[in-house]
Amino acid sequence: MDTRILHITPENQIDLIREAAMTLKIGGLVAFPTETVYGIGANALDASIVRKIYEAKGRPSDNPLIVHIGHAQEVEKYVTEIPEIARPLMEAFWPGPLTMIFKKNQVIPYEITGGLDTVAIRVPAHPLAREIIRQTGLPIAAPSANISGKPSPTIAAHVIEDLKGRIDMIVDGGDANIGLESTVLDLTSEPAVILRPGGVTKAMIEAIVGPVVLDPRDLGLSVDDIPKAPGMKYKHYAPKGRLVIYYGSKEKAIEAMNDSVQKSLSNHEKVGIIATNEDREAYNCPTILTIGSEHDAHEIASNLFKVLRQMDDLGIEKILTQAFHEKEIGVATMNRLLKAANNEQRFV
Ligand code: TXA
Ligand code: MG
C-alpha cells in the first residue's frame, strides 16, 4: 500500500485536514497527532474497517480500541448510560488526556471493544485531531500508531518507521506534547478504577469526584486471571534491548550502573544509559541519552518513548536507567517504564 505523508504547515493545513477527514470517511486508515501520542484513526462504526487497524498494528483482536469524538455531547450516542461522576469529569478534563469507559450500546461494533460490553471514549485536545474528527462527523477509533508491542509514537518519524506501507495516510503535525497515552478510567465499577495512569492523575480526578482506585493488577500487586483492561496483559512499550531499572540513593544507583556498564563492555555488549540532565556527568558509558531534568516530570514523560526508540536505532542491547520520581505524571512514566523493562529492577 502507498502511504501518503502530509506535512502540515499553517498555509496548507485547511486543505490537508480536509483530505485527511475525507480519507477517513471513505474507509481509510489515517495516523494523526493527538496531545498524548500519535494515533491510527479509522471509522469506529464500521467493523470491517476496524479490523484493518488490528491488521496494520499486528494487534490481538481482543485488545479494545478507544473511540475518539469531537464533543462531549456525542457520548450519549454510543453508551447505554452516563454515570453521575462522568459529567463533572468531562467538564474538567475534556478535551484532554482522559479516556472513560462506559457500557456500550448497539451502535458500537464488538470489533471495537474486543468483544466487551463496554466502550472507551475520549475527546482529544490536539487541534489537528479535533478538527479532523469534527470534519468526518464520525466517531474515530484510534489506538496508538505503533506496531503492537513497540513504544508509542510521539513524532511522525516513529509512525513512518512502523506503519509506512500499512496505512493510507500519515499526518505529520509535529510533536505529541504529553508523550504518554491517556489515563484510562473505568466508570463501570464503583468506585471508578484507573486502568492505565496518564496525564490526568489520580489526585486530579479525586479533586473532582472523590476517591477512585488504581488497578492493583497494573501495579503488579496481584496477578489476577483476566486483566480488566485487556491491553495490560500484552507486552508493551518494549525496546529491543533489555532494560533494567535501578532504585536506591542516587550515589549507589550511579555506582551500580557504572559497574554494570563495565561488565557489559567487557562482554562486548552494547550498553546505554538513560540519564537526567543532573546525573549525566556522573555516568561512565559510551552511550548516554538524556531524558530531561529530574525536576520536570512532564519533560521526562514526553521524552521516554523517544529515548527508548533511539536506543533501538543505536542497536543498544542493554539499557540502564534510574527510577523516576512518582509524583504527578511520574506515576504514568514509571508504569510505562516498568512494562518496557518487563519489571526488571535492581534495588541498591
Ligand atoms: O492517548 C491515548 O489514549 C492514545 C491516543 C492515540 O488517543 N490511544 C491509545 O490507544 O493509547 P491504545 O489502543 O494504544 O490503548 C487503549 C487502551 C488499551 O490498554 C485497552 O486495553 C484499553 O485502552 N481499553 C480500551 N477499551 C477498553 C474497555 N472497553 N475496557 C477496558 N480497557 C479498554
Ligand atoms: Mg497502544
Side-chain angles (χ1 to χ4, degrees):
M1 179 191 291
D2 244 5
T3 302
R4 286 197 56 210
I5 299 173
L6 309 184
H7 298 284
I8 302 285
T9 66
E11 291 74 39
N12 67 19
Q13 64 173 340
I14 291 180
D15 291 338
L16 297 190
I17 287 171
R18 194 180 302 138
E19 267 189 66
M22 191 53 73
T23 304
L24 285 166
K25 277 169 85 164
I26 60 174
L29 301 188
V30 177
F32 53 79
T34 81
E35 75 281 19
T36 59
V37 298
Y38 272 72
I40 315 178
N43 178 358
L45 299 181
D46 186 324
S48 65
I49 297 172
V50 169
R51 265 183 244 123
K52 292 199 292 186
I53 292 192
Y54 287 98
E55 250 166 64
K57 277 183 66 85
R59 174 164 170 150
S61 61
D62 64 344
N63 188 3
L65 308 176
I66 296 171
V67 174
H68 295 62
I69 57 177
H71 295 282
Q73 304 92 283
E74 292 168 39
V75 167
E76 61 191 41
K77 295 202 244 171
Y78 310 116
V79 308
T80 57
E81 60 179 307
I82 300 179
E84 211 175 295
I85 68 166
R87 299 217 184 258
L89 290 171
M90 290 177 196
E91 209 145 284
F93 302 117
W94 281 2
L98 176 67
T99 295
M100 291 191 265
I101 295 181
F102 302 86
K103 295 208 173 90
K104 78 173 203 70
N105 69 15
Q106 74 292 347
V107 177
I108 296 291
Y110 278 109
E111 276 75 5
I112 290 277
T113 69
L116 298 174
D117 289 319
T118 55
V119 61
I121 303 182
R122 89 175 183 101
V123 179
H126 195 293
L128 275 174
R130 282 199 88 188
E131 192 50 29
I132 291 170
I133 294 167
R134 204 190 57 77
Q135 288 194 19
T136 64
L138 292 166
I140 298 294
S144 51
N146 52 295
I147 293 284
S148 203
K150 286 185 60 169
S152 293
T154 56
I155 54 173
H158 296 160
V159 185
I160 293 169
E161 185 183 308
D162 281 16
L163 296 173
K164 191 161 183 279
R166 303 172 79 103
I167 61 177
D168 298 283
M169 191 178 272
I170 297 171
V171 177
D172 176 359
D175 286 20
N177 55 0
I178 296 175
L180 299 178
E181 307 85 346
S182 62
T183 304
V184 178
L185 180 68
D186 185 359
L187 301 182
T188 67
S189 39
E190 248 195 275
V193 181
I194 296 177
L195 298 178
R196 179 175 73 180
V200 175
T201 63
K202 183 165 183 280
M204 288 161 73
I205 293 170
E206 290 183 333
I208 309 286
V209 293
V212 298
V213 292
L214 271 175
D215 188 357
R217 283 160 291 222
D218 195 35
L219 301 174
L221 300 179
S222 72
V223 263
D224 233 337
D225 40 6
I226 302 169
K228 186 85 197 242
M232 297 303 182
K233 70 177 181 240
Y234 297 107
K235 193 174 174 207
H236 256 79
Y237 318 114
K240 296 191 193 101
R242 182 174 145 211
L243 171 66
V244 183
I245 307 171
Y246 284 75
Y247 290 80
S249 72
K250 236 186 206 212
E251 293 68 30
K252 286 214 169 124
I254 289 169
E255 195 186 317
M257 289 163 74
N258 281 334
D259 283 351
S260 176
V261 167
Q262 289 314 311
K263 280 197 200 106
S264 287
L265 292 177
S266 59
N267 292 330
H268 306 285
E269 188 178 39
K270 285 190 89 174
V271 58
I273 283 182
I274 300 175
T276 57
N277 301 346
E278 290 77 8
D279 292 347
R280 187 187 170 97
E281 296 301 318
Y283 293 117
N284 201 344
C285 184
T287 301
I288 303 175
L289 299 182
T290 39
I291 192 166
S293 166
E294 66 182 28
H295 306 296
D296 189 342
H298 287 280
E299 185 182 19
I300 289 176
S302 71
N303 285 322
L304 176 66
F305 290 146
K306 210 181 286 174
V307 165
L308 292 178
R309 282 184 180 252
Q310 276 168 2
M311 290 289 187
D312 279 355
D313 293 342
L314 295 167
I316 301 296
E317 296 158 291
K318 189 166 186 189
I319 307 165
L320 311 177
T321 180
Q322 287 189 58
F324 302 107
H325 295 305
E326 291 210 35
K327 62 167 199 276
E328 298 160 12
I329 199 171
V331 176
T333 302
M334 283 308 297
N335 166 272
R336 307 305 193 276
L337 192 66
L338 279 160
K339 283 180 201 279
N342 204 8
N343 284 321
E344 202 167 329
Q345 304 162 72
R346 299 275 181 282
F347 299 89
V348 295

Coordinates of all heavy atoms in Angstrom, one line a residue, residues 260-338:
S260 N 27.9 -2.0 36.2 CA 27.2 -2.8 35.2 C 27.7 -2.5 33.8 O 27.8 -3.4 32.9 CB 25.7 -2.7 35.4 OG 25.0 -3.4 34.4
V261 N 27.9 -1.2 33.5 CA 28.4 -0.8 32.2 C 29.7 -1.5 31.9 O 30.0 -2.0 30.8 CB 28.5 0.7 32.1 CG1 29.3 1.1 30.9 CG2 27.2 1.4 32.1
Q262 N 30.6 -1.5 32.9 CA 31.9 -2.1 32.7 C 31.8 -3.6 32.4 O 32.5 -4.1 31.5 CB 32.8 -1.9 34.0 CG 33.3 -0.4 34.2 CD 33.8 0.2 32.9 OE1 34.6 -0.4 32.2 NE2 33.3 1.4 32.5
K263 N 30.9 -4.2 33.1 CA 30.7 -5.7 32.8 C 30.2 -5.9 31.4 O 30.7 -6.8 30.7 CB 29.7 -6.3 33.8 CG 30.3 -6.6 35.2 CD 29.4 -7.5 36.0 CE 29.8 -7.4 37.4 NZ 28.8 -6.7 38.2
S264 N 29.2 -5.1 31.0 CA 28.7 -5.2 29.6 C 29.8 -5.0 28.6 O 29.9 -5.8 27.7 CB 27.6 -4.2 29.4 OG 26.4 -4.5 30.1
L265 N 30.6 -4.0 28.8 CA 31.7 -3.6 27.9 C 32.7 -4.8 27.8 O 33.1 -5.1 26.7 CB 32.4 -2.3 28.3 CG 31.5 -1.1 28.1 CD1 32.3 0.2 28.6 CD2 31.0 -0.9 26.7
S266 N 33.0 -5.4 28.9 CA 34.0 -6.5 28.8 C 33.3 -7.7 28.1 O 34.0 -8.6 27.7 CB 34.6 -6.8 30.2 OG 33.6 -7.1 31.1
N267 N 32.0 -7.8 28.1 CA 31.3 -8.9 27.4 C 31.0 -8.5 25.9 O 30.2 -9.2 25.3 CB 30.0 -9.3 28.1 CG 30.3 -10.0 29.4 OD1 31.3 -10.6 29.6 ND2 29.4 -9.8 30.4
H268 N 31.5 -7.3 25.5 CA 31.2 -6.8 24.2 C 29.7 -6.6 23.9 O 29.2 -6.8 22.9 CB 31.8 -7.7 23.1 CG 33.3 -8.0 23.3 ND1 34.2 -7.0 23.0 CD2 33.9 -9.0 23.8 CE1 35.4 -7.5 23.3 NE2 35.3 -8.7 23.8
E269 N 29.0 -6.2 25.0 CA 27.6 -6.0 24.9 C 27.4 -4.4 24.7 O 28.0 -3.7 25.5 CB 26.9 -6.4 26.2 CG 25.4 -6.4 26.2 CD 24.8 -6.9 27.5 OE1 25.4 -6.6 28.6 OE2 23.8 -7.6 27.4
K270 N 26.6 -4.0 23.7 CA 26.3 -2.6 23.5 C 25.4 -2.1 24.6 O 24.3 -2.5 24.7 CB 25.7 -2.3 22.2 CG 26.7 -2.5 21.0 CD 26.2 -2.0 19.7 CE 26.5 -0.5 19.6 NZ 26.1 0.0 18.2
V271 N 25.9 -1.2 25.4 CA 25.1 -0.7 26.6 C 24.9 0.8 26.6 O 25.7 1.5 26.1 CB 25.9 -1.2 27.9 CG1 27.3 -0.6 27.9 CG2 25.1 -0.8 29.2
G272 N 23.7 1.2 27.0 CA 23.4 2.6 27.0 C 22.7 3.0 28.4 O 22.1 2.1 29.0
I273 N 22.9 4.2 28.7 CA 22.2 4.8 29.9 C 21.2 5.9 29.6 O 21.5 6.7 28.7 CB 23.3 5.3 30.9 CG1 24.0 4.1 31.6 CG2 22.7 6.2 32.0 CD1 25.0 4.4 32.6
I274 N 20.1 5.8 30.3 CA 19.1 6.9 30.2 C 19.4 7.8 31.4 O 19.3 7.3 32.6 CB 17.7 6.4 30.2 CG1 17.4 5.5 29.0 CG2 16.7 7.6 30.2 CD1 16.0 4.9 29.1
A275 N 19.8 9.1 31.2 CA 20.2 9.9 32.3 C 19.3 11.2 32.4 O 18.8 11.7 31.4 CB 21.7 10.4 32.1
T276 N 19.2 11.7 33.6 CA 18.6 13.0 33.7 C 19.7 14.1 33.4 O 20.9 13.7 33.5 CB 18.1 13.3 35.1 OG1 19.1 13.1 36.1 CG2 16.9 12.4 35.4
N277 N 19.4 15.3 33.1 CA 20.4 16.3 32.9 C 21.3 16.4 34.1 O 22.5 16.6 33.9 CB 19.7 17.7 32.8 CG 18.7 17.8 31.7 OD1 18.7 16.9 30.8 ND2 17.9 18.8 31.7
E278 N 20.8 16.3 35.3 CA 21.5 16.4 36.5 C 22.6 15.3 36.7 O 23.6 15.6 37.3 CB 20.6 16.5 37.8 CG 19.8 17.7 37.8 CD 18.5 17.8 36.9 OE1 18.3 16.7 36.3 OE2 17.9 18.8 36.8
D279 N 22.3 14.1 36.3 CA 23.2 13.0 36.5 C 24.1 12.6 35.4 O 25.0 11.8 35.6 CB 22.3 11.7 36.8 CG 21.6 11.8 38.1 OD1 21.9 12.7 38.9 OD2 20.7 11.0 38.4
R280 N 23.9 13.2 34.3 CA 24.6 12.8 33.1 C 26.1 12.7 33.3 O 26.8 11.7 32.9 CB 24.3 13.8 32.0 CG 24.9 13.4 30.6 CD 24.8 14.4 29.5 NE 25.6 13.9 28.4 CZ 25.1 13.2 27.4 NH1 23.8 13.0 27.3 NH2 25.9 12.7 26.5
E281 N 26.7 13.7 33.9 CA 28.1 13.8 34.1 C 28.7 12.7 35.0 O 29.9 12.3 34.9 CB 28.6 15.1 34.7 CG 28.3 16.3 33.8 CD 29.0 16.2 32.5 OE1 30.2 15.8 32.5 OE2 28.3 16.5 31.4
A282 N 27.8 12.1 35.8 CA 28.3 11.1 36.8 C 28.5 9.7 36.2 O 29.1 8.8 36.8 CB 27.3 11.0 38.0
Y283 N 27.9 9.5 35.0 CA 28.0 8.2 34.3 C 29.2 8.1 33.5 O 29.7 9.0 32.9 CB 26.8 8.0 33.5 CG 25.5 7.8 34.3 CD1 24.4 8.8 34.1 CD2 25.3 6.8 35.2 CE1 23.3 8.7 34.8 CE2 24.1 6.7 35.9 CZ 23.1 7.6 35.7 OH 21.9 7.5 36.4
N284 N 29.6 6.8 33.4 CA 30.8 6.5 32.6 C 30.3 5.4 31.6 O 30.3 4.2 31.9 CB 31.8 5.9 33.6 CG 33.2 6.0 33.0 OD1 33.3 6.2 31.8 ND2 34.2 5.8 33.8
C285 N 29.9 5.8 30.4 CA 29.3 4.9 29.5 C 29.4 5.5 28.1 O 29.2 6.7 27.9 CB 27.8 4.7 29.9 SG 26.9 3.5 28.9
P286 N 29.7 4.7 27.1 CA 29.8 5.2 25.7 C 28.5 5.8 25.2 O 28.6 6.7 24.4 CB 30.2 4.0 24.8 CG 30.4 2.8 25.8 CD 29.9 3.2 27.1
T287 N 27.4 5.3 25.6 CA 26.1 5.9 25.1 C 25.3 6.4 26.3 O 24.9 5.6 27.1 CB 25.3 4.8 24.3 OG1 26.1 4.4 23.2 CG2 24.0 5.4 23.8
I288 N 25.1 7.7 26.3 CA 24.2 8.2 27.4 C 23.2 9.1 26.7 O 23.5 10.0 25.9 CB 25.0 9.1 28.4 CG1 26.1 8.3 29.0 CG2 24.1 9.7 29.4 CD1 27.0 9.1 29.9
L289 N 21.9 8.8 26.9 CA 20.8 9.7 26.3 C 20.1 10.4 27.4 O 19.7 9.8 28.4 CB 19.8 8.8 25.5 CG 20.4 8.1 24.3 CD1 19.3 7.3 23.6 CD2 21.1 9.0 23.3
T290 N 20.0 11.7 27.3 CA 19.3 12.5 28.4 C 17.8 12.6 28.1 O 17.4 12.7 27.0 CB 19.9 13.9 28.5 OG1 20.1 14.4 27.3 CG2 21.1 13.9 29.4
I291 N 17.1 12.5 29.2 CA 15.6 12.4 29.1 C 15.0 13.7 29.7 O 13.8 13.9 29.5 CB 15.1 11.1 29.9 CG1 13.6 10.9 29.6 CG2 15.4 11.2 31.4 CD1 13.2 9.5 30.0
G292 N 15.8 14.5 30.3 CA 15.2 15.8 30.8 C 15.7 16.0 32.2 O 16.5 15.3 32.8
S293 N 15.2 17.1 32.8 CA 15.6 17.5 34.2 C 14.8 16.6 35.2 O 13.6 16.4 35.0 CB 15.3 18.9 34.4 OG 15.4 19.2 35.8
E294 N 15.5 16.2 36.2 CA 14.8 15.5 37.3 C 13.7 16.3 38.0 O 12.8 15.8 38.7 CB 15.8 14.9 38.3 CG 16.5 16.0 39.1 CD 17.5 15.5 40.1 OE1 18.1 14.4 39.9 OE2 17.7 16.2 41.2
H295 N 13.8 17.6 37.8 CA 12.7 18.5 38.4 C 11.5 18.7 37.5 O 10.6 19.4 37.9 CB 13.4 19.8 38.8 CG 14.6 19.7 39.6 ND1 14.5 19.2 40.9 CD2 15.9 19.9 39.4 CE1 15.7 19.1 41.4 NE2 16.6 19.6 40.5
D296 N 11.6 18.1 36.3 CA 10.5 18.4 35.3 C 9.9 17.0 34.9 O 10.3 16.4 33.9 CB 11.0 19.1 34.1 CG 9.9 19.6 33.2 OD1 8.8 19.1 33.3 OD2 10.2 20.5 32.4
A297 N 8.8 16.6 35.6 CA 8.2 15.3 35.4 C 7.6 15.3 34.0 O 7.6 14.2 33.3 CB 7.1 15.0 36.4
H298 N 7.1 16.4 33.5 CA 6.5 16.4 32.2 C 7.5 16.3 31.1 O 7.3 15.6 30.1 CB 5.7 17.7 32.0 CG 4.5 17.8 32.8 ND1 3.3 17.1 32.4 CD2 4.2 18.3 34.0 CE1 2.4 17.2 33.3 NE2 2.9 17.9 34.3
E299 N 8.7 16.9 31.3 CA 9.8 16.7 30.3 C 10.2 15.2 30.2 O 10.3 14.7 29.1 CB 10.9 17.6 30.6 CG 12.0 17.6 29.5 CD 13.2 18.4 29.9 OE1 13.4 18.7 31.1 OE2 14.0 18.8 29.0
I300 N 10.3 14.6 31.3 CA 10.7 13.2 31.3 C 9.7 12.3 30.6 O 10.0 11.5 29.8 CB 11.0 12.7 32.8 CG1 12.3 13.4 33.3 CG2 11.1 11.2 32.9 CD1 12.7 13.1 34.7
A301 N 8.4 12.6 31.0 CA 7.3 11.8 30.4 C 7.3 12.0 28.9 O 7.2 11.0 28.1 CB 6.0 12.3 30.9
S302 N 7.5 13.2 28.4 CA 7.4 13.4 27.0 C 8.6 12.9 26.2 O 8.5 12.7 25.0 CB 7.3 14.9 26.7 OG 8.5 15.6 26.9
N303 N 9.7 12.6 26.8 CA 10.9 12.0 26.1 C 11.1 10.5 26.3 O 11.9 9.9 25.6 CB 12.1 12.7 26.6 CG 12.3 14.1 26.1 OD1 11.9 14.4 24.9 ND2 12.7 15.1 26.9
L304 N 10.3 9.9 27.1 CA 10.5 8.5 27.4 C 10.5 7.6 26.2 O 11.5 6.9 25.9 CB 9.5 7.9 28.5 CG 9.7 6.4 28.7 CD1 11.0 6.1 29.4 CD2 8.5 5.9 29.6
F305 N 9.4 7.6 25.4 CA 9.3 6.7 24.3 C 10.3 7.1 23.2 O 10.8 6.2 22.5 CB 7.9 6.8 23.7 CG 6.8 6.1 24.6 CD1 5.5 6.6 24.6 CD2 7.1 5.0 25.3 CE1 4.6 6.0 25.4 CE2 6.2 4.4 26.1 CZ 4.9 4.9 26.2
K306 N 10.6 8.4 23.1 CA 11.6 8.8 22.1 C 13.0 8.2 22.4 O 13.7 7.7 21.6 CB 11.7 10.3 22.1 CG 12.1 11.0 20.8 CD 12.2 12.5 20.9 CE 10.8 13.2 21.0 NZ 10.9 14.6 21.2
V307 N 13.3 8.3 23.7 CA 14.6 7.8 24.1 C 14.7 6.2 23.9 O 15.7 5.7 23.5 CB 14.9 8.2 25.6 CG1 16.0 7.4 26.2 CG2 15.2 9.6 25.7
L308 N 13.6 5.5 24.2 CA 13.6 4.1 24.1 C 13.8 3.7 22.6 O 14.6 2.8 22.2 CB 12.3 3.4 24.6 CG 12.1 3.5 26.1 CD1 10.8 2.9 26.5 CD2 13.3 2.8 26.9
R309 N 13.1 4.5 21.7 CA 13.3 4.2 20.3 C 14.7 4.6 19.8 O 15.3 3.9 18.9 CB 12.3 5.0 19.5 CG 10.9 4.3 19.5 CD 9.9 5.0 18.6 NE 8.6 4.4 18.6 CZ 8.1 3.7 17.6 NH1 8.8 3.5 16.5 NH2 6.9 3.1 17.7
Q310 N 15.3 5.6 20.4 CA 16.7 6.0 20.0 C 17.7 4.9 20.4 O 18.6 4.6 19.6 CB 17.1 7.3 20.7 CG 16.6 8.5 19.9 CD 16.8 9.8 20.7 OE1 17.3 9.8 21.9 NE2 16.4 10.9 20.2
M311 N 17.4 4.3 21.5 CA 18.3 3.2 22.0 C 18.2 2.0 20.9 O 19.3 1.5 20.6 CB 17.9 2.6 23.3 CG 18.2 3.6 24.5 SD 20.0 3.7 24.8 CE 20.0 4.7 26.3
D312 N 17.0 1.7 20.4 CA 16.9 0.7 19.4 C 17.7 1.1 18.1 O 18.4 0.3 17.5 CB 15.4 0.6 19.0 CG 14.6 -0.3 20.0 OD1 15.3 -0.9 20.9 OD2 13.4 -0.4 19.8
D313 N 17.5 2.4 17.7 CA 18.2 2.8 16.5 C 19.7 2.7 16.6 O 20.4 2.4 15.6 CB 17.9 4.3 16.2 CG 16.4 4.5 15.9 OD1 15.7 3.5 15.5 OD2 15.9 5.7 16.0
L314 N 20.2 2.8 17.8 CA 21.7 2.7 18.1 C 22.1 1.3 18.3 O 23.3 1.0 18.5 CB 22.1 3.5 19.3 CG 21.9 5.1 19.2 CD1 22.0 5.8 20.5 CD2 22.9 5.6 18.2
G315 N 21.1 0.4 18.2 CA 21.5 -1.1 18.4 C 21.9 -1.4 19.8 O 22.6 -2.4 20.0
I316 N 21.4 -0.7 20.8 CA 21.8 -0.9 22.2 C 21.1 -2.2 22.7 O 19.9 -2.4 22.5 CB 21.4 0.3 23.1 CG1 22.1 1.6 22.6 CG2 21.7 0.0 24.6 CD1 23.6 1.6 22.7
E317 N 21.9 -3.1 23.3 CA 21.4 -4.4 23.8 C 21.0 -4.4 25.2 O 20.2 -5.1 25.7 CB 22.5 -5.5 23.6 CG 22.9 -5.7 22.1 CD 24.2 -6.4 22.0 OE1 25.2 -5.7 22.3 OE2 24.3 -7.5 21.6
K318 N 21.6 -3.5 26.0 CA 21.2 -3.4 27.4 C 21.1 -1.9 27.8 O 22.0 -1.1 27.5 CB 22.3 -4.0 28.3 CG 21.8 -4.1 29.7 CD 22.7 -5.1 30.5 CE 22.2 -5.3 31.9 NZ 23.1 -6.1 32.7
I319 N 20.0 -1.5 28.4 CA 19.7 -0.1 28.7 C 19.5 0.0 30.2 O 18.8 -0.8 30.8 CB 18.3 0.3 28.0 CG1 18.4 0.0 26.5 CG2 18.1 1.8 28.3 CD1 17.0 0.1 25.9
L320 N 20.2 0.9 30.8 CA 20.1 1.1 32.3 C 19.5 2.5 32.6 O 19.8 3.5 31.9 CB 21.5 1.0 32.9 CG 22.4 -0.2 32.5 CD1 23.7 0.0 33.2 CD2 21.7 -1.5 32.9
T321 N 18.6 2.5 33.6 CA 18.1 3.8 34.0 C 17.8 3.8 35.5 O 17.6 2.7 36.0 CB 16.8 4.1 33.2 OG1 16.3 5.4 33.7 CG2 15.7 3.1 33.5
Q322 N 17.9 5.0 36.1 CA 17.3 5.1 37.4 C 15.8 5.2 37.4 O 15.3 5.6 36.3 CB 17.9 6.3 38.1 CG 19.3 6.2 38.6 CD 19.8 7.3 39.4 OE1 19.2 7.6 40.5 NE2 20.8 8.1 39.0
A323 N 15.1 4.8 38.4 CA 13.7 5.1 38.5 C 13.5 6.6 38.6 O 14.4 7.3 39.0 CB 13.1 4.4 39.8
F324 N 12.3 7.0 38.1 CA 12.0 8.5 38.2 C 11.0 8.7 39.3 O 10.3 7.8 39.8 CB 11.4 9.0 36.9 CG 12.4 8.7 35.7 CD1 12.1 7.7 34.8 CD2 13.5 9.5 35.6 CE1 13.0 7.5 33.8 CE2 14.4 9.2 34.6 CZ 14.2 8.2 33.7
H325 N 10.9 10.0 39.8 CA 10.0 10.3 40.9 C 8.6 10.0 40.5 O 8.1 10.4 39.4 CB 10.1 11.8 41.2 CG 11.4 12.2 41.7 ND1 12.0 11.7 42.8 CD2 12.3 13.2 41.3 CE1 13.2 12.2 43.1 NE2 13.4 13.1 42.2
E326 N 7.9 9.4 41.4 CA 6.5 9.0 41.1 C 5.5 10.1 41.6 O 4.6 9.8 42.4 CB 6.1 7.7 41.7 CG 6.9 6.5 41.0 CD 6.1 5.2 41.0 OE1 4.9 5.2 40.9 OE2 6.8 4.2 41.1
K327 N 5.7 11.3 41.2 CA 4.7 12.3 41.5 C 4.1 12.8 40.2 O 4.8 12.9 39.2 CB 5.3 13.4 42.4 CG 6.4 14.2 41.8 CD 6.6 15.4 42.7 CE 7.4 16.5 42.0 NZ 8.8 16.4 41.9
E328 N 2.8 13.2 40.3 CA 2.1 13.7 39.1 C 2.2 12.7 38.0 O 2.0 11.5 38.1 CB 2.6 15.1 38.7 CG 2.3 16.1 39.8 CD 3.2 17.4 39.7 OE1 3.8 17.6 38.6 OE2 3.2 18.1 40.6
I329 N 2.6 13.2 36.8 CA 2.6 12.3 35.6 C 3.8 11.2 35.8 O 3.8 10.3 35.0 CB 2.8 13.1 34.3 CG1 2.4 12.2 33.1 CG2 4.2 13.7 34.1 CD1 2.2 12.9 31.8
G330 N 4.6 11.4 36.8 CA 5.7 10.4 37.1 C 5.1 9.0 37.3 O 5.8 8.0 37.1
V331 N 3.9 9.0 37.8 CA 3.2 7.6 38.1 C 3.1 6.9 36.7 O 3.4 5.7 36.6 CB 1.9 7.8 38.7 CG1 1.2 6.5 38.9 CG2 2.0 8.5 40.1
A332 N 2.6 7.7 35.7 CA 2.4 7.1 34.4 C 3.8 6.8 33.7 O 3.9 5.7 33.1 CB 1.6 8.1 33.5
T333 N 4.8 7.6 33.9 CA 6.1 7.4 33.4 C 6.6 6.0 33.9 O 7.1 5.2 33.2 CB 7.1 8.5 33.8 OG1 6.6 9.7 33.3 CG2 8.5 8.2 33.2
M334 N 6.5 5.9 35.3 CA 7.0 4.6 35.9 C 6.2 3.4 35.5 O 6.8 2.3 35.3 CB 7.1 4.8 37.4 CG 8.3 5.6 37.9 SD 9.9 5.1 37.2 CE 10.1 3.4 37.8
N335 N 4.9 3.6 35.3 CA 4.1 2.5 34.8 C 4.6 2.0 33.4 O 4.8 0.8 33.2 CB 2.6 3.0 34.7 CG 1.7 2.1 33.9 OD1 1.6 2.2 32.7 ND2 1.1 1.2 34.6
R336 N 4.9 2.9 32.5 CA 5.4 2.5 31.2 C 6.8 2.0 31.2 O 7.1 1.0 30.5 CB 5.3 3.7 30.2 CG 4.0 4.5 30.1 CD 2.8 3.6 29.7 NE 1.7 4.4 29.4 CZ 0.8 5.0 30.2 NH1 0.9 4.8 31.5 NH2 -0.2 5.7 29.8
L337 N 7.6 2.6 32.1 CA 9.0 2.2 32.2 C 9.1 0.7 32.7 O 9.8 -0.1 32.2 CB 9.8 3.1 33.1 CG 11.3 3.0 33.1 CD1 11.9 3.4 31.7 CD2 11.9 3.9 34.2
L338 N 8.2 0.4 33.7 CA 8.2 -0.9 34.3 C 7.8 -2.0 33.3 O 8.3 -3.1 33.2 CB 7.3 -1.0 35.5 CG 8.0 -0.5 36.8 CD1 7.0 -0.1 37.9 CD2 9.0 -1.5 37.3

